[in-house]
mmCIF file of all heavy atoms in Angstrom:
data_model
loop_
_atom_site.group_PDB
_atom_site.id
_atom_site.type_symbol
_atom_site.label_atom_id
_atom_site.label_comp_id
_atom_site.label_asym_id
_atom_site.label_seq_id
_atom_site.Cartn_x
_atom_site.Cartn_y
_atom_site.Cartn_z
ATOM 1 N N LEU Z 1 57.589 14.544 16.712
ATOM 2 C CA LEU Z 1 57.919 15.660 17.618
ATOM 3 C C LEU Z 1 59.425 15.986 17.553
ATOM 4 O O LEU Z 1 60.265 15.168 17.822
ATOM 5 C CB LEU Z 1 57.631 15.271 19.051
ATOM 6 C CG LEU Z 1 57.908 16.312 20.172
ATOM 7 C CD1 LEU Z 1 57.150 17.583 19.980
ATOM 8 C CD2 LEU Z 1 57.651 15.725 21.582
ATOM 9 N N THR Z 2 59.698 17.233 17.111
ATOM 10 C CA THR Z 2 61.105 17.704 17.074
ATOM 11 C C THR Z 2 61.375 18.602 18.281
ATOM 12 O O THR Z 2 60.444 19.089 18.903
ATOM 13 C CB THR Z 2 61.374 18.443 15.751
ATOM 14 O OG1 THR Z 2 60.684 19.740 15.797
ATOM 15 C CG2 THR Z 2 60.926 17.677 14.548
ATOM 16 N N PRO Z 3 62.628 18.877 18.557
ATOM 17 C CA PRO Z 3 62.978 19.621 19.781
ATOM 18 C C PRO Z 3 62.699 21.126 19.620
ATOM 19 O O PRO Z 3 62.276 21.597 18.552
ATOM 20 C CB PRO Z 3 64.467 19.404 19.922
ATOM 21 C CG PRO Z 3 64.790 18.164 19.185
ATOM 22 C CD PRO Z 3 63.830 18.192 18.001
ATOM 23 N N GLU Z 4 62.899 21.851 20.708
ATOM 24 C CA GLU Z 4 62.735 23.306 20.739
ATOM 25 C C GLU Z 4 63.612 24.002 19.714
ATOM 26 O O GLU Z 4 64.787 23.628 19.587
ATOM 27 C CB GLU Z 4 63.076 23.843 22.149
ATOM 28 C CG GLU Z 4 62.875 25.326 22.338
ATOM 29 C CD GLU Z 4 63.136 25.708 23.778
ATOM 30 O OE1 GLU Z 4 63.671 24.890 24.580
ATOM 31 O OE2 GLU Z 4 62.788 26.820 24.151
ATOM 32 N N MET Z 5 63.075 24.906 18.954
ATOM 33 C CA MET Z 5 63.804 25.689 17.999
ATOM 34 C C MET Z 5 64.608 24.807 17.000
ATOM 35 O O MET Z 5 65.668 25.143 16.494
ATOM 36 C CB MET Z 5 64.884 26.618 18.695
ATOM 37 C CG MET Z 5 64.262 27.728 19.454
ATOM 38 S SD MET Z 5 63.641 29.026 18.341
ATOM 39 C CE MET Z 5 62.779 30.086 19.520
ATOM 40 N N SER Z 6 63.979 23.702 16.670
ATOM 41 C CA SER Z 6 64.636 22.722 15.787
ATOM 42 C C SER Z 6 64.974 23.291 14.411
ATOM 43 O O SER Z 6 65.930 22.908 13.770
ATOM 44 C CB SER Z 6 63.772 21.447 15.599
ATOM 45 O OG SER Z 6 62.499 21.758 15.192
ATOM 46 N N LEU Z 7 64.162 24.228 13.964
ATOM 47 C CA LEU Z 7 64.427 24.753 12.615
ATOM 48 C C LEU Z 7 65.574 25.738 12.544
ATOM 49 O O LEU Z 7 66.231 25.880 11.538
ATOM 50 C CB LEU Z 7 63.160 25.488 12.065
ATOM 51 C CG LEU Z 7 63.200 26.083 10.672
ATOM 52 C CD1 LEU Z 7 63.490 24.995 9.662
ATOM 53 C CD2 LEU Z 7 61.864 26.792 10.367
ATOM 54 N N VAL Z 8 65.886 26.379 13.697
ATOM 55 C CA VAL Z 8 66.934 27.408 13.688
ATOM 56 C C VAL Z 8 68.139 27.093 14.580
ATOM 57 O O VAL Z 8 69.132 27.752 14.522
ATOM 58 C CB VAL Z 8 66.358 28.795 14.160
ATOM 59 C CG1 VAL Z 8 65.223 29.195 13.241
ATOM 60 C CG2 VAL Z 8 65.911 28.795 15.588
ATOM 61 N N GLY Z 9 68.043 26.039 15.373
ATOM 62 C CA GLY Z 9 69.085 25.750 16.346
ATOM 63 C C GLY Z 9 68.836 26.557 17.642
ATOM 64 O O GLY Z 9 68.171 27.572 17.624
ATOM 65 N N TYR Z 10 69.481 26.102 18.736
ATOM 66 C CA TYR Z 10 69.218 26.723 20.001
ATOM 67 C C TYR Z 10 70.484 26.777 20.856
ATOM 68 O O TYR Z 10 71.255 25.816 20.884
ATOM 69 C CB TYR Z 10 68.121 25.964 20.746
ATOM 70 C CG TYR Z 10 67.661 26.630 22.058
ATOM 71 C CD1 TYR Z 10 66.775 27.713 21.960
ATOM 72 C CD2 TYR Z 10 68.086 26.190 23.291
ATOM 73 C CE1 TYR Z 10 66.341 28.321 23.135
ATOM 74 C CE2 TYR Z 10 67.722 26.873 24.429
ATOM 75 C CZ TYR Z 10 66.801 27.932 24.334
ATOM 76 O OH TYR Z 10 66.349 28.574 25.505
ATOM 77 N N PRO Z 11 70.739 27.956 21.528
ATOM 78 C CA PRO Z 11 70.007 29.194 21.427
ATOM 79 C C PRO Z 11 70.502 30.119 20.362
ATOM 80 O O PRO Z 11 71.709 30.284 20.278
ATOM 81 C CB PRO Z 11 70.268 29.817 22.860
ATOM 82 C CG PRO Z 11 71.618 29.303 23.219
ATOM 83 C CD PRO Z 11 71.770 27.923 22.625
ATOM 84 N N PRO Z 12 69.660 30.763 19.616
ATOM 85 C CA PRO Z 12 70.146 31.662 18.553
ATOM 86 C C PRO Z 12 70.570 33.007 19.052
ATOM 87 O O PRO Z 12 71.042 33.853 18.265
ATOM 88 C CB PRO Z 12 68.914 31.787 17.635
ATOM 89 C CG PRO Z 12 67.760 31.308 18.360
ATOM 90 C CD PRO Z 12 68.244 30.544 19.574
ATOM 91 N N GLU Z 13 70.362 33.289 20.325
ATOM 92 C CA GLU Z 13 70.799 34.524 20.972
ATOM 93 C C GLU Z 13 70.407 35.790 20.152
ATOM 94 O O GLU Z 13 69.243 35.895 19.748
ATOM 95 C CB GLU Z 13 72.277 34.426 21.235
ATOM 96 C CG GLU Z 13 72.618 33.257 22.155
ATOM 97 C CD GLU Z 13 74.066 33.235 22.604
ATOM 98 O OE1 GLU Z 13 74.921 32.669 21.778
ATOM 99 O OE2 GLU Z 13 74.399 33.615 23.691
ATOM 100 N N ASP Z 14 71.339 36.718 19.948
ATOM 101 C CA ASP Z 14 70.941 37.993 19.349
ATOM 102 C C ASP Z 14 70.611 37.962 17.877
ATOM 103 O O ASP Z 14 70.133 38.953 17.317
ATOM 104 C CB ASP Z 14 72.028 39.007 19.563
ATOM 105 C CG ASP Z 14 71.960 39.638 20.984
ATOM 106 O OD1 ASP Z 14 71.240 39.101 21.830
ATOM 107 O OD2 ASP Z 14 72.656 40.620 21.246
ATOM 108 N N LEU Z 15 70.686 36.775 17.236
ATOM 109 C CA LEU Z 15 70.022 36.608 15.965
ATOM 110 C C LEU Z 15 68.608 36.921 16.026
ATOM 111 O O LEU Z 15 67.942 37.383 15.067
ATOM 112 C CB LEU Z 15 70.277 35.196 15.365
ATOM 113 C CG LEU Z 15 71.687 34.825 14.922
ATOM 114 C CD1 LEU Z 15 71.750 33.316 14.592
ATOM 115 C CD2 LEU Z 15 72.163 35.674 13.802
ATOM 116 N N LEU Z 16 68.021 36.634 17.196
ATOM 117 C CA LEU Z 16 66.592 36.845 17.422
ATOM 118 C C LEU Z 16 66.183 38.342 17.432
ATOM 119 O O LEU Z 16 65.029 38.664 17.444
ATOM 120 C CB LEU Z 16 66.185 36.236 18.775
ATOM 121 C CG LEU Z 16 66.235 34.681 18.787
ATOM 122 C CD1 LEU Z 16 66.196 34.179 20.209
ATOM 123 C CD2 LEU Z 16 65.140 34.080 17.952
ATOM 124 N N LEU Z 17 67.205 39.207 17.423
ATOM 125 C CA LEU Z 17 66.854 40.658 17.420
ATOM 126 C C LEU Z 17 66.861 41.238 15.949
ATOM 127 O O LEU Z 17 66.592 42.420 15.792
ATOM 128 C CB LEU Z 17 67.908 41.420 18.212
ATOM 129 C CG LEU Z 17 68.001 41.001 19.739
ATOM 130 C CD1 LEU Z 17 69.058 41.829 20.440
ATOM 131 C CD2 LEU Z 17 66.636 41.136 20.403
ATOM 132 N N ARG Z 18 67.199 40.375 14.968
ATOM 133 C CA ARG Z 18 67.281 40.839 13.631
ATOM 134 C C ARG Z 18 66.011 40.493 12.813
ATOM 135 O O ARG Z 18 65.646 39.287 12.719
ATOM 136 C CB ARG Z 18 68.508 40.228 12.939
ATOM 137 C CG ARG Z 18 69.796 40.485 13.664
ATOM 138 C CD ARG Z 18 71.002 40.047 12.853
ATOM 139 N NE ARG Z 18 71.211 40.940 11.679
ATOM 140 C CZ ARG Z 18 71.895 42.041 11.729
ATOM 141 N NH1 ARG Z 18 72.410 42.546 12.843
ATOM 142 N NH2 ARG Z 18 71.994 42.815 10.584
ATOM 143 N N HIS Z 19 65.362 41.442 12.226
ATOM 144 C CA HIS Z 19 64.172 41.219 11.444
ATOM 145 C C HIS Z 19 64.457 40.253 10.242
ATOM 146 O O HIS Z 19 63.624 39.460 9.838
ATOM 147 C CB HIS Z 19 63.546 42.529 10.952
ATOM 148 C CG HIS Z 19 62.773 43.232 12.029
ATOM 149 N ND1 HIS Z 19 61.399 43.386 11.998
ATOM 150 C CD2 HIS Z 19 63.158 43.785 13.213
ATOM 151 C CE1 HIS Z 19 60.984 44.005 13.035
ATOM 152 N NE2 HIS Z 19 62.004 44.252 13.826
ATOM 153 N N SER Z 20 65.627 40.409 9.680
ATOM 154 C CA SER Z 20 66.014 39.562 8.533
ATOM 155 C C SER Z 20 66.055 38.132 8.916
ATOM 156 O O SER Z 20 65.813 37.213 8.045
ATOM 157 C CB SER Z 20 67.374 40.004 7.961
ATOM 158 O OG SER Z 20 68.378 39.888 8.930
ATOM 159 N N PHE Z 21 66.328 37.827 10.153
ATOM 160 C CA PHE Z 21 66.360 36.439 10.610
ATOM 161 C C PHE Z 21 64.969 35.829 10.513
ATOM 162 O O PHE Z 21 64.787 34.724 10.025
ATOM 163 C CB PHE Z 21 66.893 36.372 12.074
ATOM 164 C CG PHE Z 21 67.089 34.986 12.588
ATOM 165 C CD1 PHE Z 21 68.006 34.101 12.089
ATOM 166 C CD2 PHE Z 21 66.366 34.574 13.744
ATOM 167 C CE1 PHE Z 21 68.179 32.856 12.577
ATOM 168 C CE2 PHE Z 21 66.552 33.321 14.227
ATOM 169 C CZ PHE Z 21 67.418 32.441 13.696
ATOM 170 N N TYR Z 22 63.989 36.542 11.008
ATOM 171 C CA TYR Z 22 62.597 36.061 10.989
ATOM 172 C C TYR Z 22 62.115 35.888 9.555
ATOM 173 O O TYR Z 22 61.343 34.966 9.231
ATOM 174 C CB TYR Z 22 61.667 36.977 11.703
ATOM 175 C CG TYR Z 22 61.942 36.980 13.237
ATOM 176 C CD1 TYR Z 22 62.859 37.904 13.743
ATOM 177 C CD2 TYR Z 22 61.377 36.076 14.073
ATOM 178 C CE1 TYR Z 22 63.190 37.885 15.108
ATOM 179 C CE2 TYR Z 22 61.659 35.997 15.422
ATOM 180 C CZ TYR Z 22 62.594 36.950 15.921
ATOM 181 O OH TYR Z 22 62.882 36.896 17.247
ATOM 182 N N ALA Z 23 62.527 36.760 8.633
ATOM 183 C CA ALA Z 23 62.105 36.631 7.256
ATOM 184 C C ALA Z 23 62.661 35.331 6.707
ATOM 185 O O ALA Z 23 61.920 34.603 5.981
ATOM 186 C CB ALA Z 23 62.664 37.815 6.477
ATOM 187 N N LYS Z 24 63.928 34.998 6.980
ATOM 188 C CA LYS Z 24 64.520 33.706 6.475
ATOM 189 C C LYS Z 24 63.870 32.564 7.127
ATOM 190 O O LYS Z 24 63.627 31.540 6.486
ATOM 191 C CB LYS Z 24 66.000 33.724 6.780
ATOM 192 C CG LYS Z 24 66.842 34.728 5.929
ATOM 193 C CD LYS Z 24 66.888 34.299 4.507
ATOM 194 C CE LYS Z 24 67.798 35.178 3.677
ATOM 195 N NZ LYS Z 24 67.857 34.815 2.274
ATOM 196 N N VAL Z 25 63.529 32.638 8.442
ATOM 197 C CA VAL Z 25 62.838 31.550 9.128
ATOM 198 C C VAL Z 25 61.516 31.286 8.510
ATOM 199 O O VAL Z 25 61.153 30.160 8.226
ATOM 200 C CB VAL Z 25 62.710 31.900 10.619
ATOM 201 C CG1 VAL Z 25 61.819 30.829 11.301
ATOM 202 C CG2 VAL Z 25 64.029 31.925 11.342
ATOM 203 N N ALA Z 26 60.749 32.339 8.243
ATOM 204 C CA ALA Z 26 59.415 32.169 7.596
ATOM 205 C C ALA Z 26 59.525 31.529 6.206
ATOM 206 O O ALA Z 26 58.733 30.676 5.847
ATOM 207 C CB ALA Z 26 58.717 33.566 7.455
ATOM 208 N N GLU Z 27 60.531 31.893 5.490
ATOM 209 C CA GLU Z 27 60.787 31.328 4.171
ATOM 210 C C GLU Z 27 61.068 29.859 4.284
ATOM 211 O O GLU Z 27 60.496 28.998 3.542
ATOM 212 C CB GLU Z 27 61.927 32.065 3.527
ATOM 213 C CG GLU Z 27 62.380 31.540 2.157
ATOM 214 C CD GLU Z 27 63.649 32.252 1.687
ATOM 215 O OE1 GLU Z 27 63.553 33.482 1.400
ATOM 216 O OE2 GLU Z 27 64.764 31.631 1.670
#
């Protein structure tokens, strides 16, 4: 069990509004 948002760090704030961010997360 890893923590909340462990892959991206928390809180990522307005990075979450960028579509390119989700593309990198999926990758």
Side-chain angles (χ1 to χ4, degrees):
L1 179 61
T2 70
E4 183 175 13
M5 292 283 172
S6 54
L7 184 58
V8 302
Y10 189 77
E13 299 185 280
D14 279 11
L15 290 174
L16 293 164
L17 302 179
R18 304 189 69 85
H19 281 248
S20 59
F21 185 63
Y22 293 90
K24 291 290 186 181
V25 171
E27 175 185 292

